[in-house]
C-alpha cells in the first residue's frame, strides 16, 4: 500500500487481515456517522409497512409419489370406460395426515390414533359427501419410486364384483368423483398409503 506524505510517496508496511478488517469496520462506522449527520434516519414503521411480507416456500400440492398413484388410479378407471377422479386438496391433506399417523405408529389401520374412522376424518376436515371410502396399504421395497405401482398392482389383483367392497372396488366405483392421496415414508423407508374417495 502506498501513501503520500508531504508530496513524496512512502511505503506503509502491509497489515494483517485482522487489522484490515478493523480498519474497514472503523471506516464504515465513521461513514455511517457522517451520513447520520446529513440524512435523517428512516422511519422504521414506514419501512416495515413498505417491506414485502417474507415469502415461505410453497409446499407441493401433490408429491411425485402421490402423482404416480393418482395416474395409476385414473388409468385403471379410464381403461374401463370410467371418468377419471378429480384431485381434492382437502381430501389429500386428510389422507396425508392419516398416512403420517400410521407411519408414526408403525401400523396399518383404518382407525386413526384419535379413534376416527375414514369418513369421520373426511368430515372433520370439512369435506362434504354422501359416499366415501378409503384404501390403505404399505410398501416395504427398497426402490421408493416403485412403491405406488407395487401397492396399486396388489389392490388391482383383488377380485372385482358388484357389491364387493374392497380396494379395487373403491378404485373402480362409478359413484366416486373425487380423490385425495397421501403417501408418507417412515424413517425406516416403509411407505404408508392412504387413498380417500368421495362422490
Amino acid at each position: 500500500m502506498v501513501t503520500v506524505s508531504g508530496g513524496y510517496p512512502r511505503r506503509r508496511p502491509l497489515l494483517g487481515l485482522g487489522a484490515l478488517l478493523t480498519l474497514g469496520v472503523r471506516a464504515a462506522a465513521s461513514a455511517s456517522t457522517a451520513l447520520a449527520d446529513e440524512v435523517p434516519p428512516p422511519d422504521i414503521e414506514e419501512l416495515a409497512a413498505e417491506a414485502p411480507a417474507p415469502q415461505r416456500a410453497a409446499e407441493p400440492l401433490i408429491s411425485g409419489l402421490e402423482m404416480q398413484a393418482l395416474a395409476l388410479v385414473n388409468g385403471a378407471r379410464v381403461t374401463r370406460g370410467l371418468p377419471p377422479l378429480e384431485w381434492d386438496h382437502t381430501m389429500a391433506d386428510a389422507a396425508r395426515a392419516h398416512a403420517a399417523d400410521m407411519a408414526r405408529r408403525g401400523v396399518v389401520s383404518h382407525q386413526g390414533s384419535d379413534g376416527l374412522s375414514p369418513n369421520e376424518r373426511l368430515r372433520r376436515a370439512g369435506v362434504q359427501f354422501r359416499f366415501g371410502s378409503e384404501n390403505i396399504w404399505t410398501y416395504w421395497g427398497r426402490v421408493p419410486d416403485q412403491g405406488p405401482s407395487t401397492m396399486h398392482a396388489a389392490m388391482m389383483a383383488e377380485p372385482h364384483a358388484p357389491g364387493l367392497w374392497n380396494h379395487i372396488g373403491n378404485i373402480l366405483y362409478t359413484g366416486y368423483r373425487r380423490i385425495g392421496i397421501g403417501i408418507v415414508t417412515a424413517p425406516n423407508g416403509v411407505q404408508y398409503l392412504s387413498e380417500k374417495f368421495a362422490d
Side-chain angles (χ1 to χ4, degrees):
M1 181 183 290
V2 177
T3 59
V4 177
S5 175
Y8 297 101
R10 173 170 65 96
R11 287 207 174 266
R12 178 181 279 178
L14 292 176
L15 297 174
L17 182 60
L20 285 174
L21 289 174
T22 303
L23 286 175
V25 169
R26 285 186 187 153
S30 56
S32 65
T33 304
L35 283 175
D37 293 340
E38 298 167 13
V39 180
D43 184 352
I44 300 299
E45 289 177 11
E46 210 173 282
L47 286 176
E50 293 173 6
Q55 295 294 317
R56 198 175 68 160
E59 294 180 13
L61 298 177
I62 181 170
S63 74
L65 294 174
E66 292 164 353
M67 193 172 294
Q68 284 182 47
L70 176 64
L72 291 163
V73 166
N74 279 337
R77 289 177 63 86
V78 169
T79 58
R80 287 163 177 82
L82 300 172
L85 298 174
E86 181 182 322
W87 182 260
D88 185 297
H89 297 295
T90 304
M91 290 170 59
D93 287 343
R96 283 186 202 112
H98 185 58
D101 182 48
M102 290 191 297
R104 198 170 30 255
R105 295 184 295 148
V107 300
V108 182
S109 173
H110 287 290
Q111 185 176 36
S113 59
D114 55 6
L116 296 180
S117 71
N119 287 346
E120 289 170 333
R121 276 193 292 280
L122 284 180
R123 287 192 179 93
R124 180 172 280 185
V127 178
Q128 296 191 8
F129 62 98
R130 287 176 300 149
F131 305 108
S133 62
E134 174 183 70
N135 284 349
I136 55 175
W137 210 273
T138 58
Y139 170 70
W140 292 71
R142 295 175 182 252
V143 184
D145 286 347
Q146 292 178 1
S149 59
T150 302
M151 292 185 281
H152 180 76
M155 291 187 276
M156 295 300 292
E158 296 174 344
H160 181 237
L164 190 58
W165 292 105
N166 53 8
H167 299 92
I168 188 173
N170 288 335
I171 291 170
L172 300 179
Y173 179 55
T174 57
Y176 289 143
R177 299 286 177 259
R178 297 172 288 162
I179 188 171
I181 300 171
I183 298 179
V184 172
T185 305
N188 62 358
V190 176
Q191 290 178 11
Y192 289 81
L193 165 76
S194 171
E195 295 175 337
K196 305 280 191 198
F197 301 89
D199 56 2

